[in-house]
Amino acid sequence: MSQQPLLEVDNLKKYFPIQGGIFSRTVGHVRAVDGVSFSLNKGEALGLVGESGCGKSTTGRTILRLLDKTDGKVLFKGTEIHDLSRKDLRKMRPKMQLVFQDPYSSLNPRIKIGDAIGEALVDHGIASKNDIRDRVKEILTICGLAPYHIDRYPHEFSGGQRQRIGIARALIMNPEFIVADEPVSALDVSIQAQIINLLSDLQEQKNLTYLFISHDLSVVEHLCNRIGVMYLGSLVEMAPRDELFKQPLHPYTQALLSAIPVPDPTKKPERIVLQGDIPSPANPPSGCKFHTRCPFATDICKQAVPEYRDVGSNHYVACHLV
Amino acid sequence: MSQTVAESTAQDSKVQTIKPASPWRLAFKQLLKNKFAVGGLVVLVLMFLICFIGPFFSPYSLETMNIRNGNKPPNAAHWLGTDNLGRDILLRVMLAGRVSLLVGLVAMMISVAIGSTLGALAGYYRGWVDSIIMRLADIMMSIPSLPLLIILGAVLSDMKVPPDKRIYVVMFLLGFMSWPSLARLVRGQILMLREQEFMQAAEVLGLRDRRKIFRHLLPNTIPIIIVVATLMVAGAILQESVLSYLGLGVVPPTPSWGNMITAANNLIDFQKRPWLWVPPGVCIFFTVIAINVIGDGLRDVLDPKMKR
């Protein structure tokens, strides 16, 4: 396929300065995202998993330029997002949307949901004021809410409904690319399933492209056709879903997969339990970042950074032992 | 099963007819539970009614003077007596109330308009915009306001501004003097609000700055603005009284509560004719107390963090 990918991320880095001392000098950097590369084709859904603080959300937000990158490239349809002027960026915004983790703080408590969903259309001059109510009602129905909800305030909705509102707000702009930043982790399990089904239906209908960020592998398994595993700011493994679940190559991925609960009491789970805590991203270990917790670590892991390479059939991994 | 569905749809259609419970409605309901605030509200409404509708029922007019009938104590014809020129005190108190209340309200509006806009800009843009606005506010706050107002009032007298235009100047002066404290409060709130996730959502949607500031951020600071604005009205009425008492604010023949109290300057009037200066004094007292009590009530309702 010589088709241009919708999104290309190349060696993306995002460092946060640590300020200290009397004159608040920069004394170091938190390497939240440290060289992430991947590309996404139209209609694909990429899941990004990893434990808390590994830089998943920061990656998503830097791609959308909610945060400024430190280094690397973010090409959306061949355009570098971080080089756009404010005016051009504003025009580009509708095409890339974000669904938030917390359905409570992501809705302005003083704005009726109809206005919250429709206002971007007004602001961008996409629809006239008369059409907007109809379009908002339409999108509310698509997202599983009722048209008469349009004049209600956010506090009148439950968490799951609010998440639907958040999705509706992103969808009304007719985006091509959606970053979903842990959209279900604040919801209880039955509601999680509904929201995931909604997202997957929408993807089919509108041929959407997702970057789905989660710490829950079973959630990602349902929705994504490719999965990337992050550890301490870097991708350690990325593969098509089935391949990754059948044949995980990186020890960290193997440990994550073994932690998925199996709903079968007769089966004794073989859990790989990782020792120790995740190291500080301000002072990451030398060589392979995972060597401090890796059960198979050898001397080379401490010294050399493993190359992130293709091991065949679109399966990428960064490990010396593979 | 079908029954429950029918029930829920019936319920839905019922819910539909109920007006949306806006945060304001809820807040107002809660305010009505506060006895002091309700009392203040009643006093203030009465004061407004008396001042703005009362004069229409008065048989006298502001211009009619009758020196032979001057300095009469309260009687059946003149309920609050007359002044040295024979003018009806009740009518003058009511008309003075119009002036004082209006000065208080307009000064508050000017102050809110300047203070909330500048505060919002400072909080949203930060950086040099913030520095300039906040240093300006610091400067304004470090100048003692009363001496400055006295000087400005004296300058006005020197410039021979016609008495009927002076009210407007006083309104503007009072409004312009009191914006910094509000600007600071609003800025602090905006600094906090702009980090909320719904502002990131606004950024992702590509909304214009104007919409982000005036539709998303400022409405969330309205509770605080309302509380401060209410208290500002009281402050402006008091300051206007002080200025007018000193002869630097609203000057006769336009009556204001402050310049009516000037009668107390005269020892004979002070000792022998209390009906000249007690009524406007009482009006100021009750109006300011009523507004302050309402302000405190509003604060309890709208700003839960300040609750004791």
Side-chain angles (χ1 to χ4, degrees):
Chain A
M1 275 206 306
S2 61
Q3 175 204 2
Q4 187 190 30
L6 186 76
L7 179 79
E8 268 183 284
V9 178
D10 185 23
N11 202 22
L12 182 69
K13 290 179 183 167
K14 173 67 192 174
Y15 295 174
F16 293 102
I18 308 168
Q19 291 179 335
I22 312 168
F23 303 105
S24 59
R25 277 172 303 130
T26 304
V27 293
H29 290 282
V30 174
R31 303 179 180 191
V33 181
D34 199 7
V36 167
S37 308
F38 60 86
S39 67
L40 256 175
N41 291 323
K42 188 147 182 60
E44 250 192 320
L46 173 68
L48 216 48
V49 295
E51 59 198 296
S52 308
C54 72
K56 310 176 298 262
S57 295
T58 311
T59 308
R61 275 154 209 250
T62 312
I63 287 171
L64 292 177
R65 203 176 160 185
L66 281 175
L67 298 166
D68 286 322
K69 66 175 182 183
T70 306
D71 197 19
K73 279 187 200 145
V74 181
L75 301 178
F76 181 74
K77 291 171 137 185
T79 318
E80 169 59 73
I81 293 295
H82 287 258
D83 288 346
L84 291 175
S85 67
R86 279 182 63 86
K87 215 172 133 195
D88 291 336
L89 179 66
R90 205 176 93 81
K91 277 186 204 141
M92 188 68 107
R93 284 291 188 205
K95 294 179 193 149
M96 332 169 56
Q97 284 299 312
L98 176 62
V99 175
F100 289 86
Q101 171 176 11
D102 183 353
Y104 292 90
S105 66
S106 60
L107 292 172
N108 190 333
R110 297 206 177 264
I111 295 185
K112 288 179 187 170
I113 64 145
D115 296 335
I117 295 171
E119 68 174 345
L121 291 177
V122 189
D123 207 57
H124 282 277
I126 295 172
S128 73
K129 283 209 165 141
N130 301 331
D131 299 343
I132 279 169
R133 273 184 84 84
D134 292 337
R135 287 194 52 179
V136 171
K137 282 179 181 172
E138 188 191 324
I139 208 94
L140 280 174
T141 320
I142 292 175
C143 292
L145 294 156
Y148 64 78
H149 286 142
I150 190 164
D151 284 323
R152 296 206 183 163
Y153 286 92
H155 72 258
E156 298 172 71
F157 293 93
S158 68
Q161 284 175 313
R162 280 165 175 242
Q163 199 57 281
R164 288 174 191 271
I165 297 166
I167 293 169
R169 178 174 62 185
L171 272 182
I172 201 162
M173 305 297 285
N174 265 329
E176 294 175 53
F177 173 54
I178 291 185
V179 175
D181 187 1
E182 308 219 24
V184 296
S185 54
L187 308 172
D188 63 51
V189 181
S190 58
I191 311 291
Q192 281 189 4
Q194 292 176 12
I195 296 290
I196 290 191
N197 288 338
L198 171 66
L199 286 171
S200 116
D201 291 349
L202 289 170
Q203 187 187 22
E204 260 171 49
Q205 284 167 25
K206 304 196 177 237
N207 195 23
L208 292 169
T209 309
Y210 285 133
L211 177 63
F212 194 93
I213 297 164
S214 178
H215 57 247
D216 189 345
L217 268 170
S218 47
V219 167
V220 171
E221 182 186 3
H222 214 83
L223 191 69
C224 301
N225 38 30
R226 224 162 23 117
I227 295 173
V229 180
M230 274 184 87
Y231 184 77
L232 219 59
S234 314
L235 277 167
V236 294
E237 186 165 6
M238 179 176 290
R241 176 187 56 198
D242 297 335
E243 165 97 5
L244 188 96
F245 276 88
K246 230 182 285 166
Q247 200 184 22
L249 293 176
H250 198 281
Y252 182 62
T253 316
Q254 289 164 4
L256 279 188
L257 286 176
S258 79
I260 299 176
V262 184
D264 180 359
T266 60
K267 230 180 181 175
K268 195 159 185 234
E270 293 171 34
R271 273 206 70 174
I272 306 171
V273 180
L274 292 177
Q275 300 300 318
D277 286 326
I278 187 166
S280 161
N283 185 19
S286 63
C288 172
K289 285 177 182 170
F290 188 56
H291 83 254
T292 52
R293 300 170 77 190
C294 182
F296 314 110
T298 57
D299 278 345
I300 188 168
C301 301
K302 290 176 192 159
Q303 285 144 19
V305 180
E307 195 195 343
Y308 180 65
R309 63 189 193 281
D310 196 346
V311 292
S313 65
N314 214 6
H315 192 147
Y316 290 83
V317 67
C319 183
H320 290 297
L321 303 171
V322 179
Chain B
M1 188 64 202
S2 61
Q3 196 192 347
T4 54
V5 170
E7 253 172 39
S8 72
T9 47
Q11 216 173 24
D12 278 348
S13 58
K14 212 191 290 170
V15 167
Q16 219 179 322
T17 55
I18 297 171
K19 274 198 176 170
S22 83
W24 299 117
R25 195 178 298 272
L26 295 174
F28 188 69
K29 261 188 191 165
Q30 243 186 314
L31 183 68
L32 291 185
K33 284 184 193 155
N34 182 335
K35 278 182 205 147
F36 282 103
V38 173
L41 214 55
V42 169
V43 170
L44 196 65
V45 169
L46 272 179
M47 201 59 92
F48 265 90
L49 287 179
I50 291 172
C51 291
F52 283 88
I53 298 177
F56 296 116
F57 297 99
S58 172
Y60 309 101
S61 83
L62 199 56
E63 285 82 29
T64 40
M65 288 180 240
N66 184 353
I67 303 213
R68 264 177 301 160
N69 199 20
N71 285 336
K72 286 270 155 44
N75 54 50
H78 298 279
W79 292 355
L80 292 177
T82 59
D83 66 2
N84 56 346
L85 298 174
R87 293 175 295 191
D88 183 51
I89 295 278
L90 178 61
L91 177 67
R92 274 178 69 77
V93 165
M94 292 190 291
L95 291 172
R98 282 187 185 180
V99 172
S100 291
L101 291 171
L102 214 62
V103 168
L105 284 176
V106 175
M108 174 272 282
M109 284 178 207
I110 292 172
S111 177
V112 165
I114 301 176
S116 56
T117 309
L118 288 184
L121 292 179
Y124 181 75
Y125 287 108
R126 301 190 289 192
W128 61 269
V129 180
D130 185 26
S131 300
I132 291 176
I133 293 175
M134 282 302 114
R135 290 305 80 73
L136 204 67
D138 287 345
I139 292 170
M140 298 278 298
M141 285 180 105
S142 52
I143 299 172
S145 66
L146 195 57
L148 183 69
L149 283 173
I150 291 174
I151 292 166
L152 288 173
V155 170
L156 280 181
S157 304
D158 227 34
M159 283 161 58
K160 306 254 183 318
V161 178
D164 52 325
K165 296 270 158 46
R166 281 191 73 138
I167 307 177
Y168 305 109
V169 182
V170 169
M171 287 172 182
F172 186 77
L173 274 184
L174 292 176
F176 193 72
M177 291 303 296
S178 54
W179 66 263
S181 58
L182 180 66
R184 275 193 174 177
L185 269 175
V186 170
R187 168 182 173 269
Q189 287 281 306
I190 301 269
L191 279 177
M192 187 191 76
L193 288 166
R194 77 192 297 284
E195 302 301 331
Q196 300 262 321
E197 254 184 1
F198 63 76
M199 287 313 292
Q200 289 190 17
E203 173 63 32
V204 172
L205 290 169
L207 303 182
R208 290 192 179 92
D209 285 355
R210 198 177 356 136
R211 182 176 286 269
K212 279 194 265 184
I213 296 174
F214 292 105
R215 287 267 298 150
H216 285 253
L217 291 173
L218 267 183
N220 277 290
T221 65
I222 282 178
I224 281 204
I225 294 180
I226 288 182
V227 172
V228 175
T230 315
L231 301 175
M232 267 179 180
V233 175
I237 290 176
L238 275 181
Q239 283 200 307
E240 182 273 330
S241 305
V242 172
L243 278 188
S244 302
Y245 173 77
L246 296 172
L248 300 166
V250 181
V251 289
T254 314
S256 95
W257 287 337
N259 68 29
M260 287 181 76
I261 298 182
T262 318
N265 270 355
N266 183 324
L267 194 63
I268 299 174
D269 285 345
F270 180 67
Q271 289 179 327
K272 300 272 162 59
R273 298 170 192 135
W275 64 87
L276 291 182
W277 52 270
V278 168
V282 167
C283 286
I284 295 176
F285 180 76
F286 278 109
T287 309
V288 171
I289 284 207
I291 294 176
N292 281 337
V293 164
I294 296 171
D296 283 346
L298 282 172
R299 186 197 308 266
D300 289 346
V301 172
L302 295 176
D303 193 4
K305 278 173 226 147
M306 300 283 283
K307 250 180 205 162
R308 290 166 284 267

mmCIF file with all atom_site columns, all heavy atoms in Angstrom, chain A residues 13 80 82 111 134 158 164 168 196 204 215 255 261 291 310:
data_model
loop_
_atom_site.group_PDB
_atom_site.id
_atom_site.type_symbol
_atom_site.label_atom_id
_atom_site.label_alt_id
_atom_site.label_comp_id
_atom_site.label_asym_id
_atom_site.label_entity_id
_atom_site.label_seq_id
_atom_site.pdbx_PDB_ins_code
_atom_site.Cartn_x
_atom_site.Cartn_y
_atom_site.Cartn_z
_atom_site.occupancy
_atom_site.B_iso_or_equiv
_atom_site.pdbx_formal_charge
_atom_site.auth_seq_id
_atom_site.auth_comp_id
_atom_site.auth_asym_id
_atom_site.auth_atom_id
_atom_site.pdbx_PDB_model_num
ATOM 1   N N   . LYS A 1 13  ? 9.161   13.503  21.267 1.00 0.00 ? 13  LYS A N   1
ATOM 2   C CA  . LYS A 1 13  ? 9.646   13.642  22.638 1.00 0.00 ? 13  LYS A CA  1
ATOM 3   C C   . LYS A 1 13  ? 8.936   14.784  23.328 1.00 0.00 ? 13  LYS A C   1
ATOM 4   O O   . LYS A 1 13  ? 8.682   15.827  22.719 1.00 0.00 ? 13  LYS A O   1
ATOM 5   C CB  . LYS A 1 13  ? 11.155  13.913  22.646 1.00 0.00 ? 13  LYS A CB  1
ATOM 6   C CG  . LYS A 1 13  ? 11.969  12.713  22.223 1.00 0.00 ? 13  LYS A CG  1
ATOM 7   C CD  . LYS A 1 13  ? 13.442  13.022  22.229 1.00 0.00 ? 13  LYS A CD  1
ATOM 8   C CE  . LYS A 1 13  ? 14.198  11.788  21.732 1.00 0.00 ? 13  LYS A CE  1
ATOM 9   N NZ  . LYS A 1 13  ? 15.590  12.089  21.418 1.00 0.00 ? 13  LYS A NZ  1
ATOM 10  N N   . GLU A 1 80  ? 2.841   19.085  9.429  1.00 0.00 ? 80  GLU A N   1
ATOM 11  C CA  . GLU A 1 80  ? 3.384   19.106  10.784 1.00 0.00 ? 80  GLU A CA  1
ATOM 12  C C   . GLU A 1 80  ? 2.485   19.970  11.663 1.00 0.00 ? 80  GLU A C   1
ATOM 13  O O   . GLU A 1 80  ? 2.404   21.192  11.490 1.00 0.00 ? 80  GLU A O   1
ATOM 14  C CB  . GLU A 1 80  ? 4.816   19.646  10.763 1.00 0.00 ? 80  GLU A CB  1
ATOM 15  C CG  . GLU A 1 80  ? 5.408   19.976  12.139 1.00 0.00 ? 80  GLU A CG  1
ATOM 16  C CD  . GLU A 1 80  ? 5.468   18.792  13.088 1.00 0.00 ? 80  GLU A CD  1
ATOM 17  O OE1 . GLU A 1 80  ? 6.324   17.893  12.894 1.00 0.00 ? 80  GLU A OE1 1
ATOM 18  O OE2 . GLU A 1 80  ? 4.652   18.771  14.025 1.00 0.00 ? 80  GLU A OE2 1
ATOM 19  N N   . HIS A 1 82  ? 2.744   20.830  14.749 1.00 0.00 ? 82  HIS A N   1
ATOM 20  C CA  . HIS A 1 82  ? 3.398   21.775  15.649 1.00 0.00 ? 82  HIS A CA  1
ATOM 21  C C   . HIS A 1 82  ? 4.004   22.975  14.936 1.00 0.00 ? 82  HIS A C   1
ATOM 22  O O   . HIS A 1 82  ? 4.511   23.875  15.581 1.00 0.00 ? 82  HIS A O   1
ATOM 23  C CB  . HIS A 1 82  ? 4.477   21.054  16.484 1.00 0.00 ? 82  HIS A CB  1
ATOM 24  C CG  . HIS A 1 82  ? 3.876   20.177  17.541 1.00 0.00 ? 82  HIS A CG  1
ATOM 25  N ND1 . HIS A 1 82  ? 3.802   20.528  18.855 1.00 0.00 ? 82  HIS A ND1 1
ATOM 26  C CD2 . HIS A 1 82  ? 3.286   18.964  17.462 1.00 0.00 ? 82  HIS A CD2 1
ATOM 27  C CE1 . HIS A 1 82  ? 3.208   19.576  19.547 1.00 0.00 ? 82  HIS A CE1 1
ATOM 28  N NE2 . HIS A 1 82  ? 2.887   18.605  18.731 1.00 0.00 ? 82  HIS A NE2 1
ATOM 29  N N   . ILE A 1 111 ? -22.812 25.429  31.199 1.00 0.00 ? 111 ILE A N   1
ATOM 30  C CA  . ILE A 1 111 ? -23.270 25.488  29.813 1.00 0.00 ? 111 ILE A CA  1
ATOM 31  C C   . ILE A 1 111 ? -24.183 24.303  29.537 1.00 0.00 ? 111 ILE A C   1
ATOM 32  O O   . ILE A 1 111 ? -23.824 23.158  29.835 1.00 0.00 ? 111 ILE A O   1
ATOM 33  C CB  . ILE A 1 111 ? -22.067 25.508  28.858 1.00 0.00 ? 111 ILE A CB  1
ATOM 34  C CG1 . ILE A 1 111 ? -21.273 26.793  29.066 1.00 0.00 ? 111 ILE A CG1 1
ATOM 35  C CG2 . ILE A 1 111 ? -22.521 25.391  27.415 1.00 0.00 ? 111 ILE A CG2 1
ATOM 36  C CD1 . ILE A 1 111 ? -20.149 26.997  28.118 1.00 0.00 ? 111 ILE A CD1 1
ATOM 37  N N   . ASP A 1 134 ? -30.933 21.205  15.232 1.00 0.00 ? 134 ASP A N   1
ATOM 38  C CA  . ASP A 1 134 ? -31.249 19.936  14.561 1.00 0.00 ? 134 ASP A CA  1
ATOM 39  C C   . ASP A 1 134 ? -30.046 19.024  14.537 1.00 0.00 ? 134 ASP A C   1
ATOM 40  O O   . ASP A 1 134 ? -30.144 17.829  14.788 1.00 0.00 ? 134 ASP A O   1
ATOM 41  C CB  . ASP A 1 134 ? -31.731 20.201  13.131 1.00 0.00 ? 134 ASP A CB  1
ATOM 42  C CG  . ASP A 1 134 ? -33.084 20.895  13.142 1.00 0.00 ? 134 ASP A CG  1
ATOM 43  O OD1 . ASP A 1 134 ? -33.787 20.748  14.164 1.00 0.00 ? 134 ASP A OD1 1
ATOM 44  O OD2 . ASP A 1 134 ? -33.409 21.571  12.159 1.00 0.00 ? 134 ASP A OD2 1
ATOM 45  N N   . SER A 1 158 ? -25.735 11.183  34.305 1.00 0.00 ? 158 SER A N   1
ATOM 46  C CA  . SER A 1 158 ? -24.851 10.232  34.964 1.00 0.00 ? 158 SER A CA  1
ATOM 47  C C   . SER A 1 158 ? -23.502 10.207  34.243 1.00 0.00 ? 158 SER A C   1
ATOM 48  O O   . SER A 1 158 ? -23.355 10.785  33.165 1.00 0.00 ? 158 SER A O   1
ATOM 49  C CB  . SER A 1 158 ? -25.473 8.846   34.913 1.00 0.00 ? 158 SER A CB  1
ATOM 50  O OG  . SER A 1 158 ? -25.479 8.392   33.577 1.00 0.00 ? 158 SER A OG  1
ATOM 51  N N   . ARG A 1 164 ? -21.073 10.047  26.895 1.00 0.00 ? 164 ARG A N   1
ATOM 52  C CA  . ARG A 1 164 ? -21.718 10.099  25.576 1.00 0.00 ? 164 ARG A CA  1
ATOM 53  C C   . ARG A 1 164 ? -21.769 11.539  25.062 1.00 0.00 ? 164 ARG A C   1
ATOM 54  O O   . ARG A 1 164 ? -21.608 11.802  23.877 1.00 0.00 ? 164 ARG A O   1
ATOM 55  C CB  . ARG A 1 164 ? -23.145 9.542   25.657 1.00 0.00 ? 164 ARG A CB  1
ATOM 56  C CG  . ARG A 1 164 ? -23.181 8.034   25.835 1.00 0.00 ? 164 ARG A CG  1
ATOM 57  C CD  . ARG A 1 164 ? -24.600 7.561   26.052 1.00 0.00 ? 164 ARG A CD  1
ATOM 58  N NE  . ARG A 1 164 ? -24.627 6.165   26.473 1.00 0.00 ? 164 ARG A NE  1
ATOM 59  C CZ  . ARG A 1 164 ? -24.675 5.149   25.615 1.00 0.00 ? 164 ARG A CZ  1
ATOM 60  N NH1 . ARG A 1 164 ? -24.743 5.371   24.322 1.00 0.00 ? 164 ARG A NH1 1
ATOM 61  N NH2 . ARG A 1 164 ? -24.677 3.913   26.061 1.00 0.00 ? 164 ARG A NH2 1
ATOM 62  N N   . ALA A 1 168 ? -20.282 12.981  21.719 1.00 0.00 ? 168 ALA A N   1
ATOM 63  C CA  . ALA A 1 168 ? -21.095 13.749  20.773 1.00 0.00 ? 168 ALA A CA  1
ATOM 64  C C   . ALA A 1 168 ? -20.422 15.072  20.432 1.00 0.00 ? 168 ALA A C   1
ATOM 65  O O   . ALA A 1 168 ? -20.398 15.501  19.275 1.00 0.00 ? 168 ALA A O   1
ATOM 66  C CB  . ALA A 1 168 ? -22.481 14.007  21.378 1.00 0.00 ? 168 ALA A CB  1
ATOM 67  N N   . ILE A 1 196 ? -17.858 1.437   24.818 1.00 0.00 ? 196 ILE A N   1
ATOM 68  C CA  . ILE A 1 196 ? -16.952 0.841   23.834 1.00 0.00 ? 196 ILE A CA  1
ATOM 69  C C   . ILE A 1 196 ? -17.712 0.398   22.601 1.00 0.00 ? 196 ILE A C   1
ATOM 70  O O   . ILE A 1 196 ? -17.266 0.607   21.459 1.00 0.00 ? 196 ILE A O   1
ATOM 71  C CB  . ILE A 1 196 ? -16.201 -0.340  24.484 1.00 0.00 ? 196 ILE A CB  1
ATOM 72  C CG1 . ILE A 1 196 ? -15.239 0.273   25.500 1.00 0.00 ? 196 ILE A CG1 1
ATOM 73  C CG2 . ILE A 1 196 ? -15.461 -1.155  23.448 1.00 0.00 ? 196 ILE A CG2 1
ATOM 74  C CD1 . ILE A 1 196 ? -14.253 -0.646  26.035 1.00 0.00 ? 196 ILE A CD1 1
ATOM 75  N N   . GLU A 1 204 ? -17.275 2.213   12.569 1.00 0.00 ? 204 GLU A N   1
ATOM 76  C CA  . GLU A 1 204 ? -17.758 1.577   11.348 1.00 0.00 ? 204 GLU A CA  1
ATOM 77  C C   . GLU A 1 204 ? -18.531 2.554   10.483 1.00 0.00 ? 204 GLU A C   1
ATOM 78  O O   . GLU A 1 204 ? -18.305 2.666   9.289  1.00 0.00 ? 204 GLU A O   1
ATOM 79  C CB  . GLU A 1 204 ? -18.679 0.409   11.717 1.00 0.00 ? 204 GLU A CB  1
ATOM 80  C CG  . GLU A 1 204 ? -17.994 -0.929  11.641 1.00 0.00 ? 204 GLU A CG  1
ATOM 81  C CD  . GLU A 1 204 ? -18.891 -2.005  12.215 1.00 0.00 ? 204 GLU A CD  1
ATOM 82  O OE1 . GLU A 1 204 ? -20.066 -2.064  11.830 1.00 0.00 ? 204 GLU A OE1 1
ATOM 83  O OE2 . GLU A 1 204 ? -18.402 -2.761  13.079 1.00 0.00 ? 204 GLU A OE2 1
ATOM 84  N N   . HIS A 1 215 ? -5.272  1.803   30.212 1.00 0.00 ? 215 HIS A N   1
ATOM 85  C CA  . HIS A 1 215 ? -4.354  0.940   30.956 1.00 0.00 ? 215 HIS A CA  1
ATOM 86  C C   . HIS A 1 215 ? -4.949  -0.465  31.062 1.00 0.00 ? 215 HIS A C   1
ATOM 87  O O   . HIS A 1 215 ? -4.414  -1.319  31.737 1.00 0.00 ? 215 HIS A O   1
ATOM 88  C CB  . HIS A 1 215 ? -4.038  1.520   32.333 1.00 0.00 ? 215 HIS A CB  1
ATOM 89  C CG  . HIS A 1 215 ? -5.243  1.769   33.171 1.00 0.00 ? 215 HIS A CG  1
ATOM 90  N ND1 . HIS A 1 215 ? -5.656  3.032   33.517 1.00 0.00 ? 215 HIS A ND1 1
ATOM 91  C CD2 . HIS A 1 215 ? -6.149  0.933   33.695 1.00 0.00 ? 215 HIS A CD2 1
ATOM 92  C CE1 . HIS A 1 215 ? -6.762  2.943   34.223 1.00 0.00 ? 215 HIS A CE1 1
ATOM 93  N NE2 . HIS A 1 215 ? -7.096  1.681   34.346 1.00 0.00 ? 215 HIS A NE2 1
ATOM 94  N N   . ALA A 1 255 ? 4.303   -9.835  30.808 1.00 0.00 ? 255 ALA A N   1
ATOM 95  C CA  . ALA A 1 255 ? 3.855   -9.630  32.191 1.00 0.00 ? 255 ALA A CA  1
ATOM 96  C C   . ALA A 1 255 ? 2.468   -8.986  32.209 1.00 0.00 ? 255 ALA A C   1
ATOM 97  O O   . ALA A 1 255 ? 1.592   -9.374  32.985 1.00 0.00 ? 255 ALA A O   1
ATOM 98  C CB  . ALA A 1 255 ? 4.852   -8.750  32.943 1.00 0.00 ? 255 ALA A CB  1
ATOM 99  N N   . PRO A 1 261 ? -7.224  -10.874 34.125 1.00 0.00 ? 261 PRO A N   1
ATOM 100 C CA  . PRO A 1 261 ? -7.929  -11.934 34.833 1.00 0.00 ? 261 PRO A CA  1
ATOM 101 C C   . PRO A 1 261 ? -8.673  -12.866 33.870 1.00 0.00 ? 261 PRO A C   1
ATOM 102 O O   . PRO A 1 261 ? -9.255  -12.409 32.888 1.00 0.00 ? 261 PRO A O   1
ATOM 103 C CB  . PRO A 1 261 ? -8.909  -11.187 35.734 1.00 0.00 ? 261 PRO A CB  1
ATOM 104 C CG  . PRO A 1 261 ? -8.940  -9.800  35.258 1.00 0.00 ? 261 PRO A CG  1
ATOM 105 C CD  . PRO A 1 261 ? -7.757  -9.550  34.403 1.00 0.00 ? 261 PRO A CD  1
ATOM 106 N N   . HIS A 1 291 ? 15.312  -2.823  32.192 1.00 0.00 ? 291 HIS A N   1
ATOM 107 C CA  . HIS A 1 291 ? 16.206  -3.851  32.729 1.00 0.00 ? 291 HIS A CA  1
ATOM 108 C C   . HIS A 1 291 ? 16.136  -3.984  34.250 1.00 0.00 ? 291 HIS A C   1
ATOM 109 O O   . HIS A 1 291 ? 16.428  -5.027  34.807 1.00 0.00 ? 291 HIS A O   1
ATOM 110 C CB  . HIS A 1 291 ? 17.652  -3.638  32.254 1.00 0.00 ? 291 HIS A CB  1
ATOM 111 C CG  . HIS A 1 291 ? 18.433  -2.641  33.056 1.00 0.00 ? 291 HIS A CG  1
ATOM 112 N ND1 . HIS A 1 291 ? 18.729  -1.383  32.591 1.00 0.00 ? 291 HIS A ND1 1
ATOM 113 C CD2 . HIS A 1 291 ? 18.978  -2.711  34.283 1.00 0.00 ? 291 HIS A CD2 1
ATOM 114 C CE1 . HIS A 1 291 ? 19.416  -0.723  33.510 1.00 0.00 ? 291 HIS A CE1 1
ATOM 115 N NE2 . HIS A 1 291 ? 19.583  -1.510  34.552 1.00 0.00 ? 291 HIS A NE2 1
ATOM 116 N N   . ASP A 1 310 ? 11.462  -3.948  13.431 1.00 0.00 ? 310 ASP A N   1
ATOM 117 C CA  . ASP A 1 310 ? 10.415  -4.794  12.870 1.00 0.00 ? 310 ASP A CA  1
ATOM 118 C C   . ASP A 1 310 ? 10.908  -6.241  12.890 1.00 0.00 ? 310 ASP A C   1
ATOM 119 O O   . ASP A 1 310 ? 11.968  -6.546  12.373 1.00 0.00 ? 310 ASP A O   1
ATOM 120 C CB  . ASP A 1 310 ? 10.142  -4.347  11.421 1.00 0.00 ? 310 ASP A CB  1
ATOM 121 C CG  . ASP A 1 310 ? 8.836   -4.904  10.904 1.00 0.00 ? 310 ASP A CG  1
ATOM 122 O OD1 . ASP A 1 310 ? 8.295   -5.813  11.548 1.00 0.00 ? 310 ASP A OD1 1
ATOM 123 O OD2 . ASP A 1 310 ? 8.361   -4.401  9.864  1.00 0.00 ? 310 ASP A OD2 1
#
